[in-house]
């Protein structure tokens, strides 16, 4: 599976790691799994370091719409996106713009910086 995620309920943290060819269905499946686990309000890292971005701009727009729909269900926790390639970074920027909401989103080039930023939010809901 191109996206594998781990949910730590005690730490209120989701770590999702994308590998290989990353497509819209892969991201939607992971988002749905996180929603079913009632972890949308948790802090999240989405690491694309080892993924080849196969998402079109239309796909990113669809993800933005899905996130806006999730916002109607409740609060979303802070999101740190790790994007090391220029394509991944640009798509993350587009996603950040399209998935507007009342939660912090930040894009990083290195995982440890993403984790440091996210840890600044603590484990609160």
């Amino acid at each position: 599976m191109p996206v594998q995620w781990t949910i730590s309920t005690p730490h209120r943290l989701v770590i999702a790691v994308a590998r290989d060819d990353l497509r819209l269905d892969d991201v939607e499946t992971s988002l749905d799994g996180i929603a079913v686990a009632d972890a949308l309000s948790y802090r999240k890292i989405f690491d694309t370091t080892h993924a080849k971005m196969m998402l079109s701009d239309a796909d990113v727009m669809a993800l933005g719409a899905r996130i806006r729909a999730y916002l109607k269900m409740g609060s979303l926790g802070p999101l740190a996106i790790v994007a090391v390639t220029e394509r991944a970074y640009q798509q993350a920027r587009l996603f950040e713009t399209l998935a507007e909401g009342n939660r912090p989103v930040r894009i990083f080039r290195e995982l440890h910086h993403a984790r440091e930023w996210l840890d600044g939010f603590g484990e609160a809901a």
Side-chain angles (χ1 to χ4, degrees), residues 95-116:
F95 173 81
E96 178 183 31
T97 300
L98 296 171
E100 61 192 38
N102 60 348
R103 62 125 172 215
V105 176
R106 192 152 171 205
I107 305 162
F108 297 88
R109 297 283 188 171
E110 296 181 25
L111 179 60
H112 70 279
H113 291 301
R115 184 60 191 257
E116 287 173 359

Side-chain angles (χ1 to χ4, degrees), residues 7-109:
I7 298 172
S8 172
T9 300
H11 297 285
R12 300 187 56 79
L13 176 67
V14 176
I15 299 175
V17 179
R19 298 195 185 284
D20 304 321
D21 293 345
L22 182 64
R23 292 183 166 75
L24 177 61
D25 288 348
D26 304 318
V27 180
E28 289 178 333
T29 299
S30 65
L31 286 171
D32 289 345
I34 293 165
V36 167
D38 200 26
L40 289 175
S41 66
Y42 292 9
R43 300 169 297 141
K44 289 173 239 23
I45 291 178
F46 190 77
D47 183 2
T48 67
T49 301
H50 301 290
K52 181 176 180 186
M53 305 303 282
M54 305 301 287
L55 302 168
S56 67
D57 287 351
D59 292 339
V60 177
M61 290 170 60
L63 289 172
R66 181 176 287 252
I67 294 301
R68 289 190 303 278
Y70 284 143
L71 280 168
K72 294 176 183 174
M73 296 170 43
S75 66
L76 298 179
L79 171 64
I81 302 171
V82 181
V84 297
T85 67
E86 191 57 33
R87 177 169 172 77
Y89 189 86
Q90 291 305 320
Q91 287 189 322
R93 293 287 306 203
L94 178 59
F95 173 81
E96 178 183 31
T97 300
L98 296 171
E100 61 192 38
N102 60 348
R103 62 125 172 215
V105 176
R106 192 152 171 205
I107 305 162
F108 297 88
R109 297 283 188 171

